[in-house]
Amino acid sequence: MMTELKELVWKANQDLFRAGLVILNFGNVSGLDRRRGIAAIKPSGVPYEELKPEDIVLVDLEGGVVEGGLKPSSDTPTHVELYKAFPAIGGIAHAHSEYATMFAQARREIPCYGTTHADFAQGPVPLTRQLTEAEAGGPYEQSTGRVIVERYVSAGLNPLVIPAVLIAGHGAFTWGRTAGEAVQAHVILEHVAKTAYGTLVLNPDQAPLEPYLLDKHLQRKHGPHAYYGQKKGETP
Amino acid sequence: MMTELKELVWKANQDLFRAGLVILNFGNVSGLDRRRGIAAIKPSGVPYEELKPEDIVLVDLEGGVVEGGLKPSSDTPTHVELYKAFPAIGGIAHAHSEYATMFAQARREIPCYGTTHADFAQGPVPLTRQLTEAEAGGPYEQSTGRVIVERYVSAGLNPLVIPAVLIAGHGAFTWGRTAGEAVQAHVILEHVAKTAYGTLVLNPDQAPLEPYLLDKHLQRKHGPHAYYGQKKGETP
Amino acid sequence: MMTELKELVWKANQDLFRAGLVILNFGNVSGLDRRRGIAAIKPSGVPYEELKPEDIVLVDLEGGVVEGGLKPSSDTPTHVELYKAFPAIGGIAHAHSEYATMFAQARREIPCYGTTHADFAQGPVPLTRQLTEAEAGGPYEQSTGRVIVERYVSAGLNPLVIPAVLIAGHGAFTWGRTAGEAVQAHVILEHVAKTAYGTLVLNPDQAPLEPYLLDKHLQRKHGPHAYYGQKKGETP
Amino acid sequence: MMTELKELVWKANQDLFRAGLVILNFGNVSGLDRRRGIAAIKPSGVPYEELKPEDIVLVDLEGGVVEGGLKPSSDTPTHVELYKAFPAIGGIAHAHSEYATMFAQARREIPCYGTTHADFAQGPVPLTRQLTEAEAGGPYEQSTGRVIVERYVSAGLNPLVIPAVLIAGHGAFTWGRTAGEAVQAHVILEHVAKTAYGTLVLNPDQAPLEPYLLDKHLQRKHGPHAYYGQKKGETP
């Protein structure tokens, strides 16, 4: 059932691994068939080299397994929370990639210092608050999803133009219209995180990119007169 | 038409990608046939793995498409400005490579700290000023070319002996007599940027290389008695 | 004799090399058959590319060679001390991987800044004291094992939930139930060390992860209701 | 003539390139037949991918070409100076590898912070003085060799136990009994430089390794009772 989605999600997981964003069996990618309300996600604790398309697990938007002989990723409740809160997204990637994790662990947002970032996200990559002791003791992974949503809703952030978030003391989630776009967003996030890290080393007081340039790049890729790529709105 | 130039430009784009200087479909390389006034350039938003020589787009020095079914790189107007202002160059590469971008985002020039740099560029790798709001709102990529030219002309810099520039809050452009040389210049730029970064971490007050050594290396590679390589003027 | 163990240890050594944790012929991995009291270990000074399963040396828990035409790793006495003091472990890896070694040389423990670390080790990665002049002049590698054991015993650390240690001015040892697990622990240690390094650069005063999160992750992977992976206690 | 030496030197050059210590056609390795007084060295400005064993140039210890259709490396006079001053060495490697170059450009020696370094070099990796304007204007590459020798002779350093040197504002030279050993020394140097860099970032005031440990490691690998490797004195 849904072999095409499973194949796409399997490939997106492989791309995450081959891009050097995860070690061992860490990280996971999912894709959503929003019409049916079913997501395909990596099984928990399976090495990427051994992962086959048929191992991908199907879950509904309550997190229950619809099909699959393996347990879904332990981060499935986080994915489900995001799919429910952000209706425009259809794919999610999660990794503890090196430089994004440095910012998450240092509990700093990633400021927008350049046009690579501006083409990717309309402002700093936001950071969630840390989970409380009560949240950590309850449904932990679901609460992780909820603090992400809280961060976006409370600040009026649009997930479509800020497709990446840092979880305090943890790692990052990225998303897009498909699982493949979510992985591309993670590749860009890590590049943006690494260059921001070096920018801060070279100039700890560096001001963010001028707002009019941030807006220019938003319009260039996402505005009504977008001209980047072969078709309007093409990714990235 | 001009299949040889398209092939060379296609190969130079692949070399940029394989050297790890770009992620996804970012970056672009062009080559110019100056006699005909036609440049070959990477199409916009096409992944390197899928790029074929026949996808390379031909444009004239007004930026108009001469041949090609795909849109040229959105940075084409920057390339065109440089070809018009710097008559000795025949190839241009653009990337947001990691360490060059750190300097561009920190809005610092790359000082010349050693002989690798001295063999490459006769002085610091210059940094443009940031574009104004008016420039960003107008023909943005053309203005990027113009601030590069402004930086060279205002300081009397010779593009042939300083074949790389940083764009404030953006990335880098490099050039040479051919597209291949432009990519080689980018490889060296990234090496020079990374070692300068580490030099600054180890010694924030490090003085630049002694001027007489800078001059020695210029003469060794570019002077009338150049003796590096198998032939005078060979690159690099 | 014991060809299966030798094969596993050979593969674990290859994995250490392919993971980029060692250069040239540095580093070594061993595996123990605790019932027989015999360990299999890499021979001294043999390049990984030339290493064959039959080159793996068998030693007893006094460090004496049981089988093998080559000398065992000069670090064999350290492995033996750990196997004798930590009854639950069955595999050990030793490397001077880059970021772990930076902490060992800077004589700093690796603080737990995030959930990758919390899933791996229940607290900071500990650092041994430096060997005394008398210890360095005596059975040096055995003393290295003894200061590791001293560090765990004196602080009541459980080697099963803190499977990595830094040796002051030297490198790291990691372990697990098998040689393969020991190498996986080294891969995670290096990731944790690199992200902790960057965390400290971004925020030198960063506090460690909240204790309730450290405990949450311990229980999630090792507790009676562990739910990570396909089976309880699965690694990693 | 001397095809075996040319083959070994060709392979050592390839190893330098494959180890990631050089970009493009930078760097060079030579090997010496001391009985005949003839050294084999990489030709100047030839890319490693195109380099063939028969391209290796033979030179005498005055730097004159004995055989070869290509010009020898422009650094040949430096190699010749070292072969003449250090009678025990038979191979030399030169590169601007990233972390060694950072120290050379920051004009700092590489302190010995750990046992990887102690196994490699008996003390800090020394730094030459900068060449004077007169030296830079004369036989430049020969003078580079002379300031290296000056650094060793003036401080009574033994090139056999300190097989690497940093040239102020330039890069590094390493050596050994053969071209292969010289390249291995360069691999270790870069590892030692990178971990020393990180050690300094984590602890700018870190003291060097205790002298009794430095001596222990010297004896372990080079002393009369050396026990590292399969045979006494085996490299590394």
Side-chain angles (χ1 to χ4, degrees):
Chain A
M1 151 177 197
M2 301 175 73
T3 52
E4 191 180 351
L5 182 63
K6 285 195 276 190
E7 184 83 32
L8 288 171
V9 167
W10 171 81
K11 184 182 178 308
N13 274 283
Q14 297 294 339
D15 287 346
L16 188 77
F17 181 64
R18 280 196 289 253
L21 299 174
V22 288
I23 57 166
L24 302 174
N25 59 2
F26 296 1
N28 43 75
V29 185
S30 72
L32 177 68
D33 181 329
R34 196 168 282 280
R35 195 178 52 77
R36 299 194 196 185
I38 292 178
I41 192 164
K42 179 170 173 286
S44 182
V46 173
Y48 288 91
E49 295 92 333
E50 302 172 11
L51 191 68
K52 295 182 292 292
E54 56 265 34
D55 295 334
I56 299 297
V57 185
L58 298 181
V59 298
D60 61 30
L61 288 187
E62 314 306 314
V65 172
V66 171
E67 188 204 84
L70 297 167
K71 280 166 59 184
S73 164
S74 58
D75 292 314
T76 299
T78 314
H79 290 242
V80 164
E81 286 300 307
L82 297 180
Y83 283 132
K84 289 200 288 194
F86 300 158
I89 73 174
I92 297 171
H94 172 50
H96 302 182
S97 60
E98 292 173 354
Y99 286 85
T101 299
M102 291 174 192
F103 277 92
Q105 293 189 158
R107 311 206 178 180
R108 292 180 71 160
E109 299 196 334
I110 306 176
C112 177
Y113 288 133
T115 59
T116 323
H117 188 132
D119 273 334
F120 167 61
Q122 185 65 4
V125 176
L127 174 76
T128 68
R129 65 169 171 82
Q130 186 49 281
L131 268 65
T132 64
E133 184 159 5
E135 287 166 340
Y140 178 59
E141 289 81 6
Q142 185 181 41
S143 292
T144 298
R146 286 178 176 171
V147 296
I148 295 171
V149 174
E150 176 190 308
R151 180 71 185 80
Y152 276 69
V153 169
S154 68
L157 303 178
N158 176 354
L160 273 189
V161 295
I162 303 187
V165 70
L166 304 176
I167 318 301
H170 182 164
F173 279 85
T174 57
W175 48 76
R177 289 171 299 180
T178 63
E181 280 191 19
V183 172
Q184 286 195 333
H186 226 100
V187 171
I188 303 171
L189 170 65
E190 185 64 6
H191 180 84
V192 159
K194 183 169 185 183
T195 53
Y197 173 94
T199 301
L200 282 163
V201 168
L202 288 172
N203 188 358
D205 303 316
Q206 177 60 47
L209 193 69
E210 290 76 0
Y212 59 85
L213 283 165
L214 197 58
D215 189 58
K216 166 70 187 179
H217 280 263
L218 178 70
Q219 298 304 325
R220 194 171 81 127
K221 281 213 170 172
H222 299 283
H225 304 291
Y227 57 90
Y228 184 88
Q230 294 302 322
K231 290 192 294 283
K232 174 174 173 298
E234 189 175 357
T235 297
Chain B
M1 150 179 199
M2 300 175 73
T3 51
E4 191 180 351
L5 181 64
K6 285 196 276 188
E7 184 84 31
L8 289 171
V9 167
W10 171 81
K11 184 181 178 308
N13 275 284
Q14 297 294 338
D15 287 347
L16 188 76
F17 181 64
R18 279 196 291 253
L21 299 174
V22 289
I23 56 167
L24 302 174
N25 59 2
F26 296 1
N28 43 74
V29 185
S30 71
L32 177 68
D33 181 329
R34 197 168 281 279
R35 193 178 54 77
R36 301 195 195 184
I38 292 178
I41 192 163
K42 179 169 174 284
S44 181
V46 173
Y48 288 90
E49 296 92 333
E50 301 171 13
L51 190 68
K52 295 183 293 294
E54 56 265 34
D55 295 335
I56 299 298
V57 184
L58 298 181
V59 297
D60 61 30
L61 288 187
E62 313 306 314
V65 173
V66 172
E67 186 205 84
L70 297 167
K71 280 167 59 184
S73 165
S74 57
D75 293 313
T76 300
T78 315
H79 290 242
V80 165
E81 286 300 307
L82 297 180
Y83 283 132
K84 290 199 286 194
F86 300 158
I89 72 175
I92 297 171
H94 172 51
H96 301 182
S97 60
E98 291 174 355
Y99 286 85
T101 300
M102 291 173 193
F103 277 92
Q105 292 189 158
R107 311 206 179 180
R108 293 180 71 161
E109 299 195 335
I110 306 176
C112 177
Y113 288 132
T115 59
T116 322
H117 187 131
D119 273 334
F120 168 60
Q122 186 66 2
V125 176
L127 174 76
T128 67
R129 65 168 172 83
Q130 187 49 280
L131 269 65
T132 64
E133 183 159 5
E135 287 166 338
Y140 178 59
E141 290 80 7
Q142 185 181 39
S143 292
T144 298
R146 286 179 176 171
V147 294
I148 296 171
V149 174
E150 175 190 308
R151 180 72 186 79
Y152 276 68
V153 170
S154 67
L157 302 178
N158 177 353
L160 273 190
V161 294
I162 303 187
V165 69
L166 304 175
I167 318 302
H170 182 167
F173 279 84
T174 57
W175 48 76
R177 288 169 299 179
T178 63
E181 280 191 19
V183 172
Q184 286 194 334
H186 226 100
V187 171
I188 302 172
L189 170 66
E190 184 65 5
H191 180 83
V192 159
K194 184 169 184 183
T195 53
Y197 174 94
T199 301
L200 282 164
V201 168
L202 289 172
N203 188 357
D205 303 316
Q206 178 60 49
L209 193 69
E210 290 76 0
Y212 59 84
L213 283 165
L214 197 59
D215 190 57
K216 166 70 187 177
H217 280 263
L218 178 69
Q219 298 304 325
R220 195 171 81 127
K221 282 213 170 173
H222 298 284
H225 304 290
Y227 58 90
Y228 183 89
Q230 295 302 323
K231 290 193 294 281
K232 174 171 174 296
E234 189 174 356
T235 297
Chain C
M1 154 178 194
M2 301 177 71
T3 51
E4 192 180 349
L5 181 64
K6 285 195 276 190
E7 184 84 31
L8 288 171
V9 167
W10 171 80
K11 185 183 178 308
N13 275 284
Q14 297 294 339
D15 287 346
L16 188 78
F17 181 65
R18 279 195 291 253
L21 299 174
V22 288
I23 56 166
L24 303 174
N25 59 0
F26 296 1
N28 43 75
V29 185
S30 72
L32 178 68
D33 181 329
R34 197 168 280 280
R35 194 177 55 75
R36 301 194 195 184
I38 293 178
I41 193 163
K42 179 170 174 285
S44 182
V46 173
Y48 288 89
E49 296 92 334
E50 301 171 12
L51 190 68
K52 295 182 292 293
E54 56 266 33
D55 295 334
I56 299 297
V57 184
L58 298 180
V59 297
D60 60 31
L61 288 188
E62 314 307 312
V65 172
V66 172
E67 189 204 84
L70 296 167
K71 280 167 59 183
S73 164
S74 57
D75 293 313
T76 300
T78 314
H79 289 243
V80 165
E81 286 299 306
L82 297 180
Y83 283 132
K84 290 200 287 195
F86 300 158
I89 72 173
I92 297 171
H94 172 50
H96 302 182
S97 60
E98 292 173 353
Y99 286 86
T101 300
M102 291 174 192
F103 277 92
Q105 292 190 159
R107 313 210 177 176
R108 293 181 70 160
E109 300 196 335
I110 306 177
C112 176
Y113 288 133
T115 60
T116 321
H117 187 132
D119 273 335
F120 167 61
Q122 186 65 3
V125 176
L127 174 76
T128 67
R129 65 168 172 81
Q130 187 49 280
L131 269 65
T132 64
E133 184 159 5
E135 286 166 340
Y140 178 60
E141 290 81 6
Q142 185 182 40
S143 292
T144 298
R146 286 178 176 170
V147 296
I148 296 172
V149 175
E150 175 189 308
R151 181 72 186 80
Y152 275 68
V153 170
S154 68
L157 302 179
N158 177 353
L160 273 189
V161 295
I162 303 187
V165 71
L166 304 176
I167 318 300
H170 182 166
F173 279 85
T174 57
W175 48 74
R177 287 170 302 179
T178 63
E181 280 191 20
V183 172
Q184 285 194 335
H186 226 101
V187 171
I188 302 172
L189 170 66
E190 184 65 6
H191 180 83
V192 159
K194 184 169 184 182
T195 54
Y197 173 95
T199 301
L200 282 163
V201 168
L202 288 171
N203 187 358
D205 302 316
Q206 178 61 46
L209 194 69
E210 290 76 1
Y212 59 84
L213 283 166
L214 197 58
D215 189 59
K216 166 69 186 178
H217 280 263
L218 178 69
Q219 299 303 325
R220 194 171 81 128
K221 281 214 169 170
H222 298 283
H225 306 289
Y227 58 89
Y228 183 88
Q230 295 302 323
K231 290 192 295 281
K232 175 173 173 297
E234 189 175 356
T235 297
Chain D
M1 149 178 199
M2 300 177 71
T3 52
E4 192 180 350
L5 182 65
K6 284 195 277 189
E7 184 84 30
L8 289 172
V9 167
W10 171 80
K11 185 183 178 308
N13 275 284
Q14 297 294 338
D15 287 346
L16 188 78
F17 181 64
R18 278 196 291 252
L21 299 173
V22 289
I23 57 166
L24 303 175
N25 60 0
F26 296 1
N28 43 75
V29 185
S30 72
L32 177 69
D33 181 330
R34 197 168 281 279
R35 193 177 55 76
R36 301 195 195 184
I38 292 178
I41 192 163
K42 179 170 174 285
S44 181
V46 173
Y48 288 90
E49 297 92 334
E50 300 172 13
L51 190 67
K52 295 182 293 292
E54 57 265 33
D55 295 334
I56 299 296
V57 184
L58 298 180
V59 297
D60 60 31
L61 288 187
E62 313 308 313
V65 172
V66 172
E67 187 204 85
L70 297 167
K71 280 166 60 185
S73 164
S74 58
D75 293 313
T76 299
T78 314
H79 290 243
V80 164
E81 287 300 306
L82 297 180
Y83 283 133
K84 290 199 286 194
F86 300 159
I89 72 173
I92 297 171
H94 172 51
H96 302 182
S97 61
E98 292 173 353
Y99 286 85
T101 300
M102 291 173 193
F103 277 92
Q105 292 189 160
R107 313 211 176 175
R108 294 180 69 159
E109 300 197 334
I110 305 177
C112 177
Y113 288 133
T115 60
T116 321
H117 187 131
D119 273 335
F120 167 61
Q122 187 66 2
V125 176
L127 174 76
T128 68
R129 65 168 173 81
Q130 187 49 279
L131 270 65
T132 64
E133 183 158 4
E135 287 166 338
Y140 178 59
E141 291 80 8
Q142 185 181 39
S143 293
T144 298
R146 286 179 175 171
V147 294
I148 295 172
V149 174
E150 174 190 308
R151 181 71 186 79
Y152 276 68
V153 169
S154 68
L157 302 179
N158 177 353
L160 273 189
V161 295
I162 304 187
V165 70
L166 304 176
I167 318 302
H170 181 167
F173 279 85
T174 57
W175 48 76
R177 289 170 300 180
T178 62
E181 280 190 19
V183 172
Q184 285 194 334
H186 225 100
V187 171
I188 302 172
L189 171 66
E190 184 64 6
H191 180 83
V192 159
K194 184 170 183 182
T195 53
Y197 174 94
T199 301
L200 282 163
V201 168
L202 289 171
N203 187 357
D205 302 316
Q206 178 60 48
L209 192 69
E210 291 75 1
Y212 60 84
L213 283 165
L214 197 58
D215 190 57
K216 166 70 187 176
H217 280 264
L218 178 69
Q219 299 304 326
R220 194 171 82 129
K221 282 213 168 170
H222 298 284
H225 305 289
Y227 58 89
Y228 184 89
Q230 295 301 323
K231 291 193 293 281
K232 175 172 173 297
E234 188 174 357
T235 298

